[in-house]
């Protein structure tokens, strides 16, 4: 009698389990897409699209109302020959040297005192230092206009108490002092934010590092320079980058304090672009966009220099 082989039993695929996994994966992708879409759409609409549009405008002669005229590279040629552009950039260079260095040094010292010394008033002092950042730029500018006023300004009154009679000197109205007078106002409005950032970074450093160094006879300066600064260097690097961008692009406080005066003594490149595009009797969007492209390359070059010469990683002890 012949025997026939029994049919082999095939393994059944777990259809239900596979379907549930695919459905869960699909739902996850949909959730990620919905979560990313709003910020990515905002970036495309409010950042990338305007920047690309500025590149297009830089090749036009256009006042925003009449028919635009394509002029090629004429805006960039005029930019190189424009003495007001280089005057404004020289003021930016001065502020770029003074403000980031002053803000970072003051913020590091104040943050170190608040974090390491642990004063009882630390919470109040943090709030006090951060207070200028709560105020708008308009309020900060008006406060410093009052300080620098020649008739009833606090600075002149303070100098008189010290025996220095400067008369009715207007600090923002003199070409010799106007740009220097911008610096304290800018620093006062910026330090508080970076103090809070540095305090939070320093609080993550183990206290045992400081205790061991103190036992070896290290001074406060040595603790700050040898332990604190190398450890939080990535945070310091990002803060310096923010300050560089703000110094190159910023113009709001100068717009209110001096509007570039007197006689262009406080004109910066951002304010010059603003007045070209939106100032009274001048609406040259094409030329203003060309200068904006110049700012982009300046910032890109500064970022490249920072990446080359500044350490991106902190030191772990």
């Amino acid at each position: 009698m012949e025997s026939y082989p029994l049919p082999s039993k095939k393994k059944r695929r777990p259809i239900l389990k596979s379907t549930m996994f695919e459905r869960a994966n699909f739902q996850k992708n949909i959730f990620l897409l919905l979560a990313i879409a709003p910020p990515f759409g905002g970036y495309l609409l409010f950042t990338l699209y305007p920047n690309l549009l500025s590149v297009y405008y830089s090749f036009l002669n256009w006042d925003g109302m009449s028919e635009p005229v394509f002029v090629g590279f004429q805006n960039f040629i005029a930019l190189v020959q424009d003495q007001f552009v280089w005057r404004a950039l020289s003021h930016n260079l001065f502020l770029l040297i003074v403000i980031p260095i002053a803000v970072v040094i003051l913020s590091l010292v104040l943050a170190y005192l608040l974090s390491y010394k642990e004063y009882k008033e630390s919470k109040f002092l943090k709030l006090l230092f951060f207070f200028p950042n709560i105020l708008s730029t308009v309020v900060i500018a008006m406060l410093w206009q009052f300080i620098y006023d020649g008739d009833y300004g606090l600075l002149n009154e303070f100098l008189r108490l010290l025996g220095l009679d400067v008369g009715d000197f207007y600090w923002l109205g003199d070409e010799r002092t106007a740009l220097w007078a911008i610096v304290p106002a800018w620093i006062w409005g910026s330090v508080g934010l970076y103090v809070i950032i540095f305090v939070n970074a320093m609080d993550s450093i183990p206290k045992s590092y400081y205790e061991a160094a103190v036992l070896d006879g290290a001074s406060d300066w040595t603790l700050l320079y040898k332990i604190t600064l190398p450890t939080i260097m990535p945070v310091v690097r990002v803060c310096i980058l923010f300050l560089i961008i703000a110094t190159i692009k910023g113009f709001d406080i100068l717009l209110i304090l001096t509007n570039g005066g007197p006689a262009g003594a406080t004109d910066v490149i951002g304010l010059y672009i603003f007045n070209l595009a939106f100032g009274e009797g001048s609406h040259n969007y094409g030329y203003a966009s060309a200068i904006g492209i110049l700012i982009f390359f300046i910032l890109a070059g500064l970022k490249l220099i920072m990446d080359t010469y500044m350490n991106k990683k902190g030191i772990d002890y």
Side-chain angles (χ1 to χ4, degrees):
M1 187 175 179
E2 296 181 359
S3 61
Y4 297 94
L6 296 175
S8 59
K9 295 182 179 180
K10 296 182 179 180
K11 294 182 179 180
R12 295 181 179 179
R13 292 178 61 189
I15 299 177
L16 182 60
K17 186 176 181 180
S18 176
T19 305
M20 292 178 62
F21 176 77
E22 291 176 358
R23 184 180 301 171
N25 193 33
F26 176 76
Q27 292 176 348
K28 177 183 177 181
N29 292 334
I30 292 295
F31 172 77
L32 291 176
L33 180 62
L34 293 175
I36 294 174
F40 184 69
Y43 172 77
L44 291 177
L45 183 61
F46 299 109
T47 301
L48 186 60
Y49 174 70
N51 288 334
L52 293 177
L53 205 59
S54 295
V55 176
Y56 169 69
Y57 286 158
S58 66
F59 296 101
L60 303 177
N61 182 11
W62 186 45
D63 60 0
M65 299 294 292
S66 61
E67 189 71 20
V69 179
F70 182 79
V71 295
F73 290 95
Q74 288 186 14
N75 286 328
F76 295 96
I77 295 173
L79 183 156
V80 175
Q81 299 173 350
D82 190 349
Q83 60 176 339
F84 298 112
V85 170
W86 302 111
R87 182 185 66 181
L89 283 175
S90 67
H91 297 155
N92 279 107
L93 178 61
F94 168 77
L95 296 174
L96 185 63
I97 294 173
V98 175
I99 289 178
I101 294 175
V103 170
V104 169
I105 291 177
L106 283 174
S107 300
L108 282 172
V109 172
L110 293 174
Y112 173 77
L113 294 175
L114 292 176
S115 177
Y116 176 66
K117 295 298 183 179
E118 296 181 348
Y119 297 114
K120 294 180 180 179
E121 303 84 2
S122 291
K123 293 183 179 179
F124 172 74
L125 292 175
K126 290 178 185 177
L127 179 62
L128 184 64
F129 293 145
F130 190 72
F131 177 73
N133 296 94
I134 302 174
L135 305 175
S136 67
T137 305
V138 176
V139 174
I140 293 175
M142 292 181 67
L143 284 173
W144 283 90
Q145 278 182 336
F146 175 76
I147 292 173
Y148 289 134
D149 189 86
D151 294 328
Y152 48 82
L154 293 179
L155 180 57
N156 285 350
E157 291 296 331
F158 177 73
L159 292 176
R160 290 189 188 101
L161 291 175
L162 297 178
L164 301 174
D165 190 3
V166 294
D168 296 333
F169 185 75
Y170 283 81
W171 297 88
L172 295 173
D174 192 285
E175 296 182 28
R176 299 168 298 175
T177 58
L179 189 60
W180 284 98
I182 298 294
V183 174
W186 201 317
I187 293 174
W188 184 77
S190 304
V191 165
L193 174 63
Y194 296 99
V195 168
I196 301 301
I197 294 175
F198 290 150
V199 165
N200 292 331
M202 292 177 186
D203 286 343
S204 64
I205 302 175
K207 298 297 182 183
S208 58
Y209 294 172
Y210 295 111
E211 294 172 356
V214 170
L215 290 176
D216 290 336
S219 62
D220 287 337
W221 169 251
T222 303
L223 296 177
L224 177 61
Y225 182 70
K226 294 293 186 179
I227 296 179
T228 304
L229 187 58
T231 307
I232 66 169
M233 182 52 69
V235 179
V236 175
R237 180 178 174 275
V238 172
C239 291
I240 292 175
L241 180 61
F242 286 163
L243 285 166
I244 288 175
I245 294 174
T247 306
I248 295 294
K249 297 175 62 177
F251 69 94
D252 45 0
I253 191 169
L254 290 121
L255 176 65
I256 302 168
L257 281 174
T258 61
N259 195 22
T266 59
D267 196 17
V268 293
I269 198 66
L271 185 58
Y272 186 54
I273 292 175
F274 177 82
N275 288 326
L276 277 174
F278 308 107
E280 296 182 4
S282 174
H283 300 284
N284 194 338
Y285 293 118
Y287 187 46
S289 298
I291 302 176
I293 301 300
L294 173 64
I295 292 180
F296 169 78
F297 283 107
I298 291 175
L299 291 174
L302 291 173
K303 177 65 166 58
L304 183 61
I305 293 173
M306 288 184 62
D307 290 341
T308 304
Y309 294 102
M310 290 193 68
N311 186 16
K312 297 181 180 180
K313 297 181 180 180
I315 297 176
D316 295 327
Y317 290 95

